[in-house]
Amino acid sequence: MEMTEMTGVSLKRGSVAVEDNDSVAPGEAKRQKVSECCPTKGQDGLENNSLPSGEKVPGPPKTAGEGKKNSDPQSEEEGEEDGLSEEGEEEEEAESFASMMKHGLTELDVGITKFVSSHQGFSGILKERYSDFVVHEIGKNGQISHLSDLSVPVDEEDPSEDVFTVLTAEEKQRLEELQLFKNKETSVAIEVIEDTKEKRTVIHQAIKSLFPGLETKTEDREGKKYIVAYHAAGKKALANPRKHSWPKSRGSYCHFLLYKENKDTMDAINLLSKYLRVKPNIFSYMGTKDKRAITVQEIAVLKITAQRLAHLNKCLMNFKLGNFSYQKNPLKLGELQGNHFTVVLRNITGTDDQVEQAMNSLKEIGFINYYGMQRFGTTAVPTYQVGRAILQNSWAEVMDLILKPRSGAEKGYLVKCREEWAKTKDPAAALRKLPVKRCVEGQLLRGLSKYGLKNIVSAFGIIPRNNRLMYIHSYQSYVWNNMVSKRIEEYGLNPVPGDLVLKGAAVVCIEEDDVNNYSIHDVVMPLPGFDVIYPQHKISEAYREMLTADNLDIDNMRHKIRDYSLSGAYRKIIIRPQNVSWEVVAYDDPKIPLFNTDVDNLEGKPPPVFASEGKYRALKMDFSLPPSTYATMAIREVLKMDTSIKNQTQLNTTWLR
């Protein structure tokens, strides 16, 4: 297959805001066993499937009653450790980030080397401007989720709007402290100034609605009426919203669409929990979404009214909640059908003919379904190297890869932590250098402090399971990328005898006389494991050679520790996006939005009008992708460029100034 020359795309820090669709589609888990290649965020998208060094280990919310099943390691950024959440930090860290990326990965390092189309590449800028990247979830019903309605369902059971204003700020503060057991008070008394039955009812409703777990009663004290709030059922009351106050006729879960800007799903849910004064684990969702994007996704929450949720629209910036409904069931990871993307590439250099050729190819042929760069981490130690060491049972190497000093720039406290570890091998001393203990390094050091250096397996086990599995999934992805590149190099873009295809629930090998019944879009390749078959041509031997070179036995992928045994999975090698459309627009001001968001449309904002000519040209693309695919890889195919941040840093560092 002929390789075409790569051209560059300029990206600013953090600008690869690309939603990986790494979630399991309904029915596919059994049919393709994709659960191994798409652990259930990221995904998204971790967000992504990387766990950057020094990032907090996410503690995802779990669907109520589901225990740990709804945890998702695909959320790449969390909390104050998300890298560049503030503008000031961005300027200070830009240069050090560029330095770090000099030691990062390129696509070549992770087996991403081929293209399917013959068009000439061109350059464009996927800016740091997160509003140039919009993700709409495709729900269980196959419909693209759009925030279109902020109204609250009419429900006679709901209290009046007065519940949000009847209590003073001081009273709310005292009630919150009571609810959270932050003081020694066993009750809080609120005087009823205008004593009417209606006023007392509103105060009762306000306390029970805003502070789950508190009960109320009316008392006479020295001729005055007081509403007294107290704990109904001890400390368990906070975790369990009031069951008896929820109408039986109403579904237990309030489903809503969450529109968010520049915030990942986990941070968003933690923030909603804080404002609602509930635990995050009463929320559920079908997939995590990236931070550096505008995203719309469905969320479900246990026994919180649409009225309370809608009230948050008055309090929160860059969030909107709407399209409320009450339903019987929560959401589960992997139930989504995929994601729809709207992406703007600014300042493109391609001619209209080049753009037309590139986009038609994306629409008709598609792109190679590589695992994107997010899957492999952003630091000098790729996640697949840790995964390989786990599979080799080389636990000292696992510890060393995670904790050793690294080339390039890191946050100062991480550098000090690593230096302390290298110098003393004292986990407690190294841990004291970390202000944030929830990062991977902190978790591992805590485990080493507890279990000792002779029991690294147990120490590593302190890290949440999905985050541990992410490392070995990264290794599987690394092997898969390399093998797909070899397959395309060897046999091109047509099915050949020996290729694998899905036939119902089974995976079968294409026979010589059956080749014409299939297209390249039917062909799948395995992620290595003990329960998959391999192609019956040269690529089977290539799998064996690659694993042998890594001191692994392809015939024995079971691990001494059950969690790290890989059954394997199958993944289509070419993906053809759906709902593909595009336009080239001219513009003069790099800062103006080039399309309306859902919120713009709700507010009646007219869509932008473009001149026939302008200083710059932009390519606006729309396309839908199924679960377990990467939008970066679709963009790579259009531009013919290396999507690694390292390459972008070398191509264009003007953003550093």
Side-chain angles (χ1 to χ4, degrees):
M1 176 178 175
E2 186 178 342
M3 287 289 290
T4 41
E5 185 180 349
M6 283 196 207
T7 56
V9 62
S10 307
L11 291 98
K12 291 192 177 181
R13 161 66 173 115
S15 58
V16 192
V18 184
E19 180 66 26
D20 87 48
N21 269 345
D22 217 4
S23 319
V24 184
E28 279 201 16
K30 288 184 180 176
R31 191 186 65 191
Q32 297 186 37
K33 296 194 303 194
V34 295
S35 59
E36 289 236 336
C37 57
C38 326
T40 57
K41 282 158 141 147
Q43 187 153 192
D44 313 166
L46 288 175
E47 142 210 98
N48 303 328
N49 298 319
S50 62
L51 189 60
S53 164
E55 296 298 344
K56 289 184 183 179
V57 174
K62 298 176 279 293
T63 305
E66 284 199 341
K68 294 184 179 178
K69 289 182 183 176
N70 198 18
S71 59
D72 188 343
Q74 325 256 59
S75 169
E76 187 172 35
E77 304 164 5
E78 181 172 346
E80 68 272 21
E81 295 306 314
D82 56 18
L84 295 180
S85 55
E86 303 294 336
E87 289 180 17
E89 290 178 1
E90 192 162 329
E91 291 174 7
E92 290 169 19
E93 291 191 21
E95 192 166 342
S96 63
F97 178 77
S99 171
M100 180 174 73
M101 282 304 103
K102 289 174 188 173
H103 304 275
L105 293 170
T106 64
E107 288 184 347
L108 183 64
D109 295 326
V110 294
I112 301 172
T113 60
K114 303 295 181 185
F115 295 95
V116 300
S117 57
S118 57
H119 73 271
Q120 185 181 346
F122 54 92
S123 68
I125 302 174
L126 181 58
K127 292 194 69 170
E128 183 191 8
R129 188 182 179 82
Y130 61 80
S131 56
D132 280 350
F133 199 95
V134 178
V135 186
H136 289 91
E137 195 169 69
I138 302 173
K140 288 185 282 188
N141 59 3
Q143 299 296 307
I144 297 172
S145 298
H146 281 281
L147 186 74
S148 57
D149 184 5
L150 301 182
S151 65
V152 173
V154 177
D155 190 335
E156 292 177 6
E157 303 278 356
D158 281 340
S160 71
E161 277 291 317
D162 293 341
V163 300
F164 298 110
T165 56
V166 71
L167 297 172
T168 66
E170 184 188 350
E171 288 166 345
K172 286 180 182 176
Q173 177 71 27
R174 289 175 62 208
L175 288 163
E176 182 175 2
E177 289 175 356
L178 175 67
Q179 182 201 34
L180 299 176
F181 298 92
K182 286 188 175 177
N183 56 32
K184 294 180 181 179
E185 287 187 67
T186 56
S187 65
V188 168
I190 294 170
E191 185 180 354
V192 185
I193 305 298
E194 302 163 19
D195 182 20
T196 62
K197 185 176 181 182
E198 291 75 16
K199 182 68 179 285
R200 291 198 302 273
T201 300
V202 169
I203 296 174
H204 281 294
Q205 288 178 335
I207 294 171
K208 291 175 181 179
S209 176
L210 298 177
F211 302 93
L214 296 185
E215 286 285 8
T216 58
K217 59 186 177 183
T218 305
E219 285 187 3
D220 277 311
R221 296 183 182 178
E222 299 176 355
K224 295 179 181 178
K225 283 277 198 304
Y226 287 85
I227 307 294
V228 179
Y230 59 96
H231 275 285
K235 294 197 175 186
K236 288 184 180 178
L238 180 60
N240 300 306
R242 299 163 45 77
K243 293 179 181 176
H244 60 274
S245 66
W246 194 264
K248 290 181 180 178
S249 59
R250 182 200 283 166
S252 293
Y253 295 87
C254 185
H255 287 234
F256 61 96
L257 290 186
L258 173 65
Y259 168 102
K260 60 182 180 62
E261 298 183 2
N262 204 26
K263 203 84 169 167
D264 72 23
T265 301
M266 282 308 313
D267 281 345
I269 282 176
N270 287 333
L271 194 63
L272 296 179
S273 306
K274 179 181 173 184
Y275 274 83
L276 292 167
R277 302 182 181 90
V278 295
K279 293 276 182 74
N281 63 2
I282 68 172
F283 290 86
S284 58
Y285 48 83
M286 295 183 288
T288 58
K289 299 287 177 278
D290 250 355
K291 174 177 176 174
R292 288 201 175 274
I294 292 174
T295 70
V296 179
Q297 70 181 116
E298 186 176 354
I299 306 283
V301 60
L302 177 64
K303 294 187 177 177
I304 299 290
T305 64
Q307 188 182 34
R308 283 185 69 191
L309 293 166
H311 185 69
L312 297 178
N313 286 334
K314 300 172 185 176
C315 318
L316 297 174
M317 293 282 289
N318 300 329
F319 284 84
K320 275 287 185 285
L321 287 65
N323 297 68
F324 301 101
S325 65
Y326 292 108
Q327 298 181 33
K328 291 180 181 177
N329 299 310
L331 295 168
K332 293 180 181 177
L333 279 169
E335 287 183 324
L336 76 167
Q337 296 286 310
N339 289 295
H340 184 80
F341 298 87
T342 304
V343 179
V344 168
L345 297 171
R346 292 180 182 252
N347 198 17
I348 58 169
T349 60
T351 64
D352 286 352
D353 282 347
Q354 280 178 288
V355 170
E356 196 74 11
Q357 196 181 350
M359 293 306 298
N360 273 318
S361 173
L362 183 69
K363 183 177 182 178
E364 291 162 17
I365 304 174
F367 62 96
I368 303 170
N369 193 20
Y370 286 125
Y371 287 95
M373 298 303 297
Q374 308 99 294
R375 187 77 162 180
F376 306 104
T378 57
T379 66
V381 178
T383 49
Y384 73 80
Q385 290 183 6
V386 180
R388 179 168 55 202
I390 294 169
L391 293 173
Q392 292 169 343
N393 224 25
S394 303
W395 291 101
E397 185 182 354
V398 171
M399 178 178 69
D400 189 49
L401 285 168
I402 293 173
L403 295 178
K404 70 180 180 182
R406 300 182 176 187
S407 306
E410 281 192 306
K411 288 181 170 62
Y413 58 77
L414 262 177
V415 173
K416 291 175 182 173
C417 168
R418 294 187 192 287
E419 287 173 350
E420 183 67 31
W421 171 254
K423 186 171 66 179
T424 66
K425 289 292 188 286
D426 180 345
L431 194 60
R432 284 194 290 272
K433 302 290 183 182
L434 283 180
V436 178
K437 305 292 193 283
R438 285 177 58 199
C439 61
V440 175
E441 292 83 355
Q443 295 273 15
L444 179 55
L445 288 168
R446 194 159 59 84
L448 291 169
S449 296
K450 181 175 181 180
Y451 294 106
L453 299 182
K454 291 184 179 178
N455 193 352
I456 301 170
V457 174
S458 296
F460 185 70
I462 288 263
I463 298 169
R465 181 176 181 271
N466 278 328
N467 298 103
R468 287 181 275 123
L469 296 185
M470 176 213 63
Y471 288 116
I472 55 175
H473 294 146
S474 176
Y475 178 73
Q476 283 181 301
S477 306
Y478 168 70
V479 172
W480 194 91
N481 279 1
N482 278 279
M483 292 301 98
V484 167
S485 292
K486 281 188 179 295
R487 158 65 183 78
I488 291 172
E489 183 175 346
E490 190 71 35
Y491 299 113
L493 291 174
N494 291 306
V496 297
D499 274 336
L500 303 178
V501 291
L502 290 168
K503 204 166 187 176
V507 172
V508 298
C509 195
I510 301 179
E511 302 292 341
E512 183 86 49
D513 55 1
D514 215 15
V515 168
N516 293 333
N517 293 329
Y518 297 101
S519 79
I520 194 66
H521 297 98
D522 299 313
V523 176
V524 299
M525 283 183 57
L527 286 96
F530 60 77
D531 197 22
V532 293
I533 61 172
Y534 292 89
Q536 292 180 15
H537 48 50
K538 289 181 183 178
I539 305 307
S540 178
E541 190 55 34
Y543 271 96
R544 184 175 295 277
E545 288 171 2
M546 186 172 183
L547 267 69
T548 300
D550 284 340
N551 294 316
L552 295 171
D553 181 357
I554 197 169
D555 300 316
N556 182 18
M557 297 300 288
R558 294 186 187 274
H559 196 279
K560 291 178 182 177
I561 300 164
R562 188 178 175 185
D563 265 0
Y564 308 137
S565 288
L566 297 177
S567 62
Y570 298 97
R571 179 176 174 87
K572 287 195 171 184
I573 69 172
I574 302 290
I575 289 292
R576 187 160 42 194
Q578 301 297 305
N579 307 312
V580 179
S581 64
W582 66 93
E583 63 176 324
V584 175
V585 298
Y587 65 102
D588 290 314
D589 184 351
K591 295 179 181 177
I592 62 162
L594 298 183
F595 57 88
N596 272 8
T597 65
D598 286 358
V599 169
D600 291 334
N601 293 333
L602 274 170
E603 293 172 350
K605 184 178 176 182
V609 178
F610 304 108
S612 55
E613 291 187 8
K615 202 184 296 184
Y616 311 105
R617 291 159 67 249
L619 170 59
K620 176 177 173 279
M621 314 189 264
D622 276 89
F623 54 91
S624 299
L625 294 179
S628 189
T629 52
Y630 287 72
T632 33
M633 295 296 100
I635 294 166
R636 169 187 182 271
E637 184 67 43
V638 169
L639 294 173
K640 292 287 183 72
M641 57 83 178
D642 183 333
T643 58
S644 68
I645 301 176
K646 176 178 180 178
N647 190 61
Q648 309 317 322
T649 306
Q650 291 167 346
L651 282 171
N652 186 340
T653 56
T654 56
W655 52 270
L656 293 176
R657 301 186 186 98

